[in-house]
Amino acid sequence: MHTLAELVRALRAGGSVFAEDEAALLSEAAAGDAGRLATLLKQRLSGQPLESLLGWAEFAGLRILIDPGVFVPRRRTEFLAELAIAACRPGSTVLDLCCGSGAISAAILHARPQVRLYASDLMPASLRCAARNIGGRAKLFQGDLFAALPQALRGHIDVLAVNAPYVPSDAIALMPPEARLHEPHSALDGGPDGLNFHRRVARDAAGWLRPRARIVIETSAEQAPTSAAIFETAGFRTRVASDDSRGATVILASREDQATS
Ligand SMILES: C[S@@+](CC[C@H](N)C(=O)[O-])C[C@H]1O[C@@H](n2cnc3c(N)ncnc32)[C@H](O)[C@@H]1O
């Protein structure tokens, strides 16, 4: 049986920066089962993401359920969700492309329950997880980017929220073990410069959007100029928004004849 102090010591020795918080959360998840707590501690020390072990992650003040093998939503992505929420009007049609657990959708639905929300992802595990978080409140589709969607949606999207993979392939080896070893590389790998998905979204988005639609797509500070240039070349007007406190960078894009603010 581990006391809380022993847990904290073990987690700290394993490199945890938030050992007290993690110890409390793991204890709560074990619910008094000493064997379960020992297993959770071992898994955490082997680098498994805390959120996958707990089965949930906090995002935009909500508890998002996380299944094994599904990308853990990052706190910086709350900024993208906030920008998407600001772009929504009552009755807007919103697409959360590459939705993962459905965290962005859940935040949008929480703030704007009256929108029509569509969400899609390539991975069946993501869709199953998204169904647990937003099922019944959103229409979910599985497939490769826009190919997943019903043709009837063409020309009807008002807000396109995208957090697609954008890590340059060679940079995955430099990520923390939680991501590098325990998240699917298909959720991370954006190709040689990380922006392959941004090129595909910029190329194909126009036919799916209403004339006054907004795109909000997450990137990094380093990639932002190239990402913005990709959307400009595809005929969009862009603005780079950032929130330094969360290390978040988002490209806002709209048709050339629309302002992005
Ligand atoms: C960086 S994760 C973001 C997940 C979610 N949007 C979030 O912010 O938590 C990228 C997601 O893109 C999905 N994905 C990868 N390739 C895809 C593709 N070709 N078409 C659709 N989704 C894809 C992955 O399965 C993963 O869930």
Side-chain angles (χ1 to χ4, degrees):
M1 181 71 181
H2 290 280
T3 65
L4 205 57
E6 285 168 345
L7 269 186
V8 171
R9 267 199 301 279
L11 288 163
R12 196 172 286 141
S16 170
V17 185
F18 303 106
E20 282 87 359
D21 294 343
E22 291 200 13
L25 288 165
L26 291 174
S27 289
E28 187 191 320
D33 180 336
R36 171 101 187 103
L37 184 56
T39 304
L40 287 173
L41 178 62
K42 198 169 155 205
Q43 289 172 319
R44 182 67 191 121
L45 292 175
S46 80
Q48 288 203 36
L50 178 69
E51 295 84 353
S52 301
L53 297 176
L54 300 176
W56 58 271
E58 193 183 329
F59 185 84
L62 303 172
R63 217 175 236 220
I64 304 295
L65 303 175
I66 302 296
D67 293 331
V70 173
F71 181 86
V72 176
R74 310 300 203 253
R75 299 303 291 267
R76 65 172 165 270
T77 304
E78 292 173 354
F79 183 53
L80 181 154
E82 289 161 15
L83 293 170
I85 288 164
C88 287
R89 300 286 167 265
S92 285
T93 296
V94 181
L95 172 63
D96 178 3
L97 193 66
C98 301
C99 67
S101 63
I104 295 169
S105 295
I108 294 172
L109 285 165
H110 184 71
R112 299 276 187 269
Q114 67 279 49
V115 302
R116 274 190 292 273
L117 208 138
Y118 294 76
S120 66
D121 198 283
L122 184 64
M123 305 301 291
S126 296
L127 265 300
R128 282 194 295 273
C129 186
R132 295 177 68 206
N133 286 305
I134 52 170
R137 296 185 292 152
K139 292 195 166 66
L140 302 177
F141 297 93
Q142 191 217 327
D144 180 21
L145 294 186
F146 295 101
L149 304 171
Q151 286 297 311
L153 196 56
R154 281 189 78 82
H156 286 92
I157 295 168
D158 297 296
V159 179
L160 173 57
V162 193
N163 184 20
Y166 63 85
V167 182
S169 305
D170 288 349
I172 292 176
L174 309 175
M175 294 182 83
E178 279 93 338
R180 177 167 46 87
L181 303 177
H182 296 283
E183 287 187 309
H185 283 201
S186 59
L188 306 171
D189 193 346
D193 68 350
L195 297 173
N196 279 0
F197 284 93
H198 289 215
R199 289 187 183 86
R200 292 182 59 202
V201 171
R203 185 192 66 201
D204 296 337
W208 295 88
L209 302 178
R210 270 197 225 275
R212 299 182 66 80
R214 293 279 181 276
I215 301 175
V216 287
I217 183 164
E218 185 171 297
T219 188
S220 69
E222 297 73 33
Q223 292 163 309
T226 311
S227 187
I230 288 168
F231 281 89
E232 297 264 345
T233 303
F236 293 93
R237 182 180 292 237
T238 67
R239 179 165 75 81
V240 179
S242 48
D243 177 344
D244 294 343
S245 65
R246 289 180 281 192
T249 306
V250 169
I251 306 290
L252 295 111
S254 63
R255 294 279 175 79
E256 272 195 345
D257 52 347
Q258 305 291 325
T260 48
S261 56

